[in-house]
Amino acid sequence: MTTRVHIGLPVPPRNHPALLRGRGRFVDDLPFPGARHVAVLRSPVAHGRVTAFDATAARADPRCLLVLGPADVAELTDPIPLAWLLPDQRLDHVELAVDVVRYAGQPIGLVVATDRAAAEDVAELVDVRVEPLPAVASTAAALAPGAPRLHAEAEGNVVGRTHFGTPRDRLDEAFAEAHLVVEREFGIQRVSHSPLEPRGLVAEWEPGPGLLTVHASTQSPHAVRQELAAVLRLRADRVRVVARDVGGSFGGKVALHADEALVCLAAVVLGGQVKWVEDRVENLTAAYQGRGQRTRARLAVAADGRFLALHADVVGDLGAFAVQAGSGPLQVTALTIEGPYRFPAAGGTVTAVCTNLVPVGAYRGYGMQESTFIRERLVDEAARELGVDPVALRLRNMVEPGDMPYTTCTGLVYDSGDYSAALRSAARRVAPPSSAGPVRRGSAVTATVEMSGFAPSALIRQFDIAWAGWEGVRLVVNHDGTVTVHAGVTAVGQGIETSLAQIAADGLGVPLRWVDVRLGDTATAPHSDLASQASRALVLAGGALLRAAARLRARVLGLAARALDVPEADVVLDVPADVEPGSPEAVFRGASGVISWRELAHRAWRGWHRPEGVERIRLEENVDFDPPAITFAHGAHGAAVAVDVDTGVVTVEDYWTVHDNGVLVNPLVAEGQVVGGVAQGIGLALFEEVRHDPDTAEPLSTTFREYPLPAARDVPRVDVRHLCTPSPANPGGFKGLGEGGAIPPAATIACAVAAAVPEIAEVLTATPMTPERVWAALREAGIEGSPQWTER
Amino acid sequence: MKPVAFDHVAPVDLAAALDLLAERGTRAAPLAGGQSLVPLLNLRRVRPDVVVDLNHVVGLAGVRVTAGEVRIGAMTRLRVLESHPDVVAALPVLATAASAVAHPHVRTRATLGGSLCHANPAAELPAAAVALDARLVLRHRGGARVVPAAEFFTGPHTTVLAPGELLTEVVVPRVPELRFGFAELARPGGSGYPLVVALLGVAVEGGVVVAARAAAGGVAPTPVRLPGVEAALPGRRCTADDLSAGLATAPVDHAAGHRDAVLRSLLRRITAGLE
């Protein structure tokens, strides 16, 4: 049993001082003065055939070191294989060698030159001819009769379909009998991850041994390594990927992008170091995006307020082609549509559609932000139509602790938690709003369930996903007594390195600063395909680490007993809180005397004191943790908003969160995750939107001027609270919270706007709720602005 | 993204700067605070042969207040403009408009001349220049002309500036009889760009409005005066209610729609402060 000393303490994240003092090691900071620089050649149009690629003029420039075009790429690479397909999906790879471009910004080739500015100059000299083809800029356009067909493998531009939960005919029956059916069409826009650090890499090829080392801004170095090996036709053991500090990822750095593969190809062709750091325009127009779906959904309610059925018909915009996580979020929207409520019948249907927009992949919330928005808006609309309190309606239908484990209609198994308690806690704290003048105020609370700790290997196999779901750690007590944690999960700014140190320190019973955490280098990190995504890093690596620490502690105590020649049960580890690992005060005590921690570690690495016949010497433990189940976190959010009916401006004035994430390892890290997620959610709710020209499908959001991110004035103080129901699905009782803060804000803010202005509640079914759109809805509803303005 | 290579020249006297601009014409780009030009260079949307850096030119920055007018050097930083005691005393609304631009770190570099010449139709200072009947001094090698603000802007990001010409000074008449207010709606999110800005001034005698001045940005391709509003207010009592009532009768001087609604809301909020 682990004694909790550091687990639960708000330990300041250990990397913050370096980051705040400008000592971060992001890709652009890495000291590679000899690196040559890449400019990526990108398609200027959204759909077209590459008819010519002439680099004669470019190669004549003395600063030009290499030009790669589609023919070179075709000769030297294989496509990127996809890991997760829909049942009938035939698009199963990402093409690197491009003869038909399918989005504006798609990489066609690249230029390497002496510096970045030179590379951009030389890139302008490459004569790329693209014969334009008609483009589709939305799923509606892609599905329209006679729409241009994007792929031979996608008839009618449908990449694949699936259905989860109650069969559709049974759903239809349930709706036919209901007292009330609320049906709406929901729109969730495309968003950009907009990490502080854009993508980037330095690739180095050593021709002698044939080794490729890639320093990348990625959240999944092992996945990138495997994909690179496949694409570049290299042995797995000849590719190493290293992620140092990563300036945010949010799902945008989970897999290898085509342009990143081309940069590594350039290094292999040229030898030595090649560097590319994405600029902001590239990040906004060429990096994979998030969300993007139109969903028709309906909720059936009995006269007494019981929920009878729920169905979401999700039409998702995959963009130009399917990528690693392409249809994943759409599937998760369908799987999680029920949220925290009981339904006799519920299901989600997914149609994945290709368009001539940037491909869409994982984004924080991964389909759950979408399902929460759809469901919570429907529930609020049902309450409005029934004339009942929306909180009471929710409580009436909630899965209760006594129902656990609870299996949803879509087959998810909720493990633990008190969903009603979270909602009640949030509802109690939401202050009643007051309206004045042209400003109307309203508040609302919503509830959600967050899938975390993804996932048991058997479940992943059942879904036919070619990823490993387990996590591994290697915990080492070094010969000098210091402690090192190697884990497959990655640090992307969330604070995982601090949380893992806390777990290791408690597991071994040593001070926190004895523990160093090393992540992100495939040469030393245990294998991990998914690493830090899907709210899983702490849950799974933490679980593995607790087991490793318990085993290592037992071994160390056994060694100490033999060194002291006393029974194991009589050995006590006595470490004052402030001492170093080499201190003579850090000792194992037995009746016969003491031996210091450091001395014991030193002897252990010499092979001394081990029981006769035991071959294991190294003072380290490798543990793989394959969870028995997904664990579900849950929570409730409350928002108070002001709606200026003159201008349509929505201001979030107060925000409250209640989450149950099981055992919290570091409340400070948890608060950072929640508040950051809420800020991101406010951006999605109110103004973030990647826009494209509806005719040409070319990007309109190319800088932060057209794609505003939340600023301090847009985000109120967030009141963060936690409940604790330990998870039964892992040794630490942990539940994930990497996405929990980002999932409910759009739903909560939209419900609060609906409470403020019930006249427009029915049409609050799409985000972002910009001033222009809210104003148009207000005018449509006959709300004409300030009375002072119109009455006289 | 990196700019196309350019020469950087940093003259210390105005004559040298004007010589360079005259010689290089459209191939030269004057650099003031760099808050718009530098991003445009990096995006390769502007590709000058030479950037004429005005930051070291003597005499282009500063504020001089006389009995009748306030003369402001084009290179005066917005941080200076918003906090200059003479500006705050003589033309408080100009200081307020300057303080509404972007964020403090931007205003530390951004200049009055740069903001006017960039000619964003929704920006604060172009609208203020129009509202205050500012006169813009445009110099070229061997000469100068003075252009009223209302005639300076020709469209989004375009002005009457000819190749070789440089805005060197902004002359703002003092209008002590007019009490001005300023309001804007910035786009939500971090860009800070205004959607609509409004300025409204009234002269009051015996509690009754005798003259009004109104201008707006963001409702037309250039900042505009609002003659309908200016005609509707005289004769009204200077109370929030009465001014609002006057505004309500004012004809729309530009396209109706969301921005018009925002503008009317801003004007009404200004009147509450003029009471």
Side-chain angles (χ1 to χ4, degrees):
Chain A
M1 188 62 201
T2 303
T3 307
R4 288 186 197 160
V5 176
H6 302 103
I7 292 176
L9 285 186
V11 177
R14 37 177 58 195
N15 57 338
H16 282 191
L19 295 183
L20 292 172
R21 290 181 170 87
R23 292 180 193 142
R25 298 160 306 163
F26 302 96
V27 169
D28 211 21
D29 302 317
L30 299 174
F32 290 108
R36 283 75 53 87
H37 292 258
V38 166
V40 179
L41 300 164
R42 299 185 181 281
S43 173
V45 299
H47 196 195
R49 187 171 298 281
V50 180
T51 55
F53 185 95
D54 182 354
T56 311
R59 291 194 174 103
D61 190 303
R63 300 168 298 169
C64 176
L65 303 169
L66 179 71
V67 181
L68 292 175
D72 311 297
V73 176
E75 187 192 332
L76 298 170
T77 67
D78 289 326
I80 305 174
L82 299 187
W84 187 4
L85 305 178
L86 286 160
D88 52 350
Q89 182 175 333
R90 288 159 61 211
L91 279 177
D92 60 359
H93 58 264
V94 173
E95 206 63 66
L96 296 189
V98 174
D99 57 355
V100 174
V101 291
R102 294 186 177 87
Y103 73 95
Q106 183 171 2
I108 296 173
L110 59 68
V111 163
V112 185
T114 45
D115 60 66
R116 175 66 183 247
E120 291 184 21
D121 290 348
V122 173
E124 293 182 358
L125 301 174
V126 179
D127 185 12
V128 184
R129 301 263 167 84
V130 183
E131 179 189 302
L133 296 167
V136 292
S138 66
T139 53
L143 295 174
R149 183 164 174 171
L150 269 58
H151 295 276
E153 300 91 335
E155 189 170 356
N157 294 321
V158 173
V159 174
R161 296 178 206 266
T162 194
H163 179 86
F164 298 99
T166 310
R168 288 199 71 154
D169 51 346
R170 278 193 42 219
L171 283 168
D172 289 339
E173 286 167 25
F175 282 103
E177 292 164 10
H179 168 75
L180 171 70
V181 175
V182 181
E183 182 166 357
R184 301 280 185 275
E185 180 158 335
F186 294 92
I188 293 145
Q189 76 275 33
R190 280 170 166 259
V191 289
S192 161
H193 306 78
S194 296
L196 203 54
E197 182 196 24
R199 298 177 301 135
L201 34 87
V202 180
E204 178 171 22
W205 176 253
E206 298 171 67
L211 288 176
L212 178 67
T213 303
V214 180
H215 287 81
S217 184
T218 175
Q219 60 197 105
S220 305
H222 278 286
V224 169
R225 168 173 170 261
Q226 291 171 89
E227 290 165 336
L228 272 177
V231 165
L232 300 177
R233 303 166 186 158
L234 295 170
R235 287 169 51 124
D237 60 2
R238 299 271 174 93
V239 183
R240 175 187 170 201
V241 175
V242 185
R244 299 292 192 100
D245 287 318
V246 174
S249 49
F250 312 114
K253 298 174 181 173
V254 299
L256 181 70
H257 281 57
D259 44 19
E260 297 167 341
L262 296 183
V263 173
C264 295
L265 172 64
V268 173
V269 171
L270 272 179
Q273 298 158 357
V274 171
K275 176 175 178 174
W276 172 69
V277 175
E278 180 182 51
D279 63 43
R280 191 55 67 181
V281 175
E282 290 179 295
N283 183 261
L284 282 167
T285 57
Y288 301 157
Q289 297 169 352
R291 314 255 197 264
Q293 61 168 258
R294 293 209 72 82
T295 296
R296 189 133 203 108
R298 50 194 172 142
L299 167 68
V301 189
D304 64 0
R306 271 177 308 119
F307 294 163
L308 298 175
L310 176 65
H311 178 225
D313 195 350
V314 178
V315 177
D317 168 14
L318 290 187
F321 44 82
V323 297
Q324 285 305 4
S327 70
L330 306 173
Q331 300 189 56
V332 171
T333 298
L335 281 166
T336 60
I337 193 68
E338 291 153 87
Y341 311 111
R342 292 184 306 265
F343 289 93
T349 310
V350 172
T351 306
V353 178
C354 52
T355 62
N356 288 117
L357 306 182
V358 185
V360 162
Y363 179 86
R364 193 181 197 179
Y366 206 92
M368 293 181 280
Q369 183 273 333
E370 296 90 318
S371 59
T372 299
F373 182 72
I374 293 161
R375 179 189 63 249
E376 295 301 313
R377 286 297 300 126
L378 284 176
V379 169
D380 245 43
E381 284 295 277
R384 194 172 60 84
E385 294 198 14
L386 290 168
V388 300
D389 174 54
V391 174
L393 182 64
R394 286 179 168 86
L395 291 173
R396 170 93 174 75
N397 288 283
M398 249 169 193
V399 174
E400 295 298 334
D403 300 331
M404 300 291 179
Y406 175 86
T407 304
T408 68
C409 295
T410 58
L412 304 178
V413 183
Y414 297 161
D415 50 296
S416 60
D418 188 339
Y419 299 173
S420 293
L423 187 69
R424 284 201 188 93
S425 169
R428 263 199 309 275
R429 283 161 36 232
V430 170
S434 62
S435 293
V439 175
R440 296 245 218 128
R441 289 188 164 80
S443 62
V445 292
T446 63
T448 192
V449 174
E450 181 191 0
M451 193 191 285
S452 81
F454 190 79
S457 300
L459 184 76
I460 288 192
R461 188 174 175 198
Q462 190 187 318
F463 277 98
D464 205 17
I465 307 172
W467 284 324
W470 55 273
E471 274 303 320
V473 301
R474 188 166 82 255
L475 177 63
V476 187
V477 174
N478 299 298
H479 70 90
D480 63 353
T482 57
V483 176
T484 312
V485 177
H486 298 277
V489 300
T490 46
V492 293
Q494 81 279 48
I496 187 71
E497 55 279 72
T498 306
S499 304
L500 290 180
Q502 291 172 261
I503 293 170
D506 277 5
L508 288 172
V510 301
L512 187 61
R513 59 201 166 101
W514 291 18
V515 183
D516 222 345
V517 177
R518 298 290 164 79
L519 309 171
D521 183 345
T522 61
T524 53
H527 179 84
S528 172
D529 282 346
L530 293 169
S532 290
Q533 49 176 316
S535 301
R536 63 192 294 285
L538 180 80
V539 176
L540 302 187
L545 186 52
L546 274 176
R547 287 197 176 154
R551 288 183 200 169
L552 197 52
R553 181 181 165 91
R555 276 181 64 202
V556 167
L557 286 170
L559 292 167
R562 280 182 293 282
L564 295 167
D565 199 19
V566 296
E568 264 183 53
D570 294 349
V571 177
V572 177
L573 175 60
D574 181 4
V575 183
D578 295 334
V579 301
E580 297 298 328
S583 163
E585 292 177 62
V587 294
F588 297 92
R589 290 187 194 284
S592 58
V594 301
I595 181 169
S596 76
W597 170 274
R598 178 191 174 124
E599 177 62 18
L600 186 83
H602 196 71
R603 291 186 188 186
W605 279 96
R606 288 173 187 161
W608 299 357
H609 302 309
R610 70 188 198 273
E612 211 159 308
V614 169
E615 287 196 338
R616 287 187 71 194
I617 293 175
R618 280 176 284 169
L619 218 44
E620 59 181 51
E621 286 292 326
N622 276 281
V623 171
D624 303 326
F625 178 57
D626 191 11
I630 290 175
T631 189
F632 287 85
H634 69 92
H637 281 201
V641 305
V643 182
D644 184 327
V645 298
D646 281 350
T647 61
V649 172
V650 175
T651 307
V652 182
E653 296 188 320
D654 269 305
Y655 207 90
W656 300 267
T657 71
V658 182
H659 287 266
D660 186 340
N661 302 101
V663 173
L664 283 191
V665 174
N666 187 326
L668 214 52
V669 170
E671 183 171 347
Q673 285 277 28
V674 172
V675 174
V678 169
Q680 224 164 7
I682 287 173
L684 183 139
L686 297 182
F687 42 81
E688 284 186 46
E689 180 174 34
V690 176
R691 292 184 304 115
H692 293 84
D693 184 288
D695 297 320
T696 65
E698 284 165 20
L700 300 173
S701 318
T702 62
T703 73
F704 280 148
R705 179 172 172 162
E706 299 87 22
Y707 191 89
L709 294 174
R713 64 167 184 165
D714 301 300
V715 183
R717 193 186 66 86
V718 179
D719 181 83
V720 178
R721 308 252 174 130
H722 281 95
L723 308 175
C724 177
T725 314
S727 169
N730 63 75
F734 310 136
K735 299 174 182 175
L737 87 166
E739 300 165 278
I743 289 170
T748 315
I749 293 164
C751 289
V753 172
V757 197
E759 297 95 319
I760 63 168
E762 190 172 346
V763 298
L764 291 170
T765 52
T767 47
M769 294 172 281
T770 60
E772 290 88 346
R773 286 178 196 161
V774 171
W775 180 83
L778 291 164
R779 292 300 172 272
E780 185 74 17
I783 301 174
E784 288 295 337
S786 297
Q788 304 96 301
W789 186 257
T790 51
E791 275 170 12
R792 295 172 208 219
Chain B
M1 216 165 228
K2 305 291 179 195
V4 177
F6 55 80
D7 290 330
H8 175 261
V9 185
V12 292
D13 65 73
L14 182 59
L18 293 176
D19 280 347
L20 263 168
L21 291 173
E23 286 154 20
R24 308 300 282 270
T26 56
R27 301 308 306 153
L31 172 68
Q35 300 305 294
S36 303
L37 179 62
V38 171
L40 288 170
L41 289 170
N42 285 340
L43 289 166
R44 297 189 163 214
R45 288 188 200 157
V46 176
R47 298 173 171 226
D49 293 337
V50 58
V51 167
V52 181
D53 186 340
L54 304 174
N55 285 276
H56 305 279
V57 175
V58 175
L60 279 185
V63 173
R64 272 191 302 137
V65 178
T66 66
E69 59 197 23
V70 179
R71 303 184 77 93
I72 305 163
M75 284 297 290
T76 304
R77 311 283 169 187
L78 301 192
R79 273 306 252 180
V80 172
L81 196 58
E82 72 182 85
S83 54
H84 197 290
D86 293 345
V87 177
V88 171
L91 284 169
V93 72
L94 186 61
T96 305
S99 73
V101 174
H103 312 291
H105 50 279
V106 171
R107 299 198 296 274
T108 301
R109 294 298 305 165
T111 65
L112 176 61
S115 176
L116 296 178
C117 292
H118 188 56
N120 179 336
E124 294 86 351
L125 292 165
V130 168
L132 294 170
D133 269 344
R135 299 190 306 278
L136 278 52
V137 180
L138 314 185
R139 291 188 191 280
H140 57 274
R141 183 161 65 184
R145 58 176 171 148
V146 177
V147 175
E151 293 167 22
F152 180 70
F153 304 100
T154 54
H157 303 288
T158 59
T159 67
V160 300
L161 270 174
E165 259 186 331
L166 186 69
L167 169 61
T168 56
E169 195 176 30
V170 179
V171 183
V172 190
R174 298 182 64 174
V175 276
E177 67 279 12
L178 283 170
R179 226 156 18 94
F180 270 97
F182 171 90
E184 76 170 10
L185 181 69
R187 290 185 174 282
S191 75
Y193 282 98
L195 189 71
V196 178
V197 303
L199 294 99
L200 175 63
V202 289
V204 180
E205 281 174 17
V208 174
V209 174
V210 295
R213 187 88 69 74
V219 295
T222 64
V224 288
R225 288 279 285 270
L226 302 170
V229 171
E230 292 180 354
L233 296 186
R236 298 268 171 182
R237 280 179 299 119
C238 189
T239 64
D241 279 355
D242 220 35
L243 291 177
S244 278
L247 289 174
T249 65
V252 176
D253 300 317
H254 43 79
H258 179 241
R259 284 168 185 258
D260 174 63
V262 171
L263 172 59
R264 285 169 180 269
S265 166
L266 295 176
L267 289 171
R268 196 172 44 69
R269 277 162 217 194
I270 293 173
T271 60
L274 292 176
E275 195 171 17

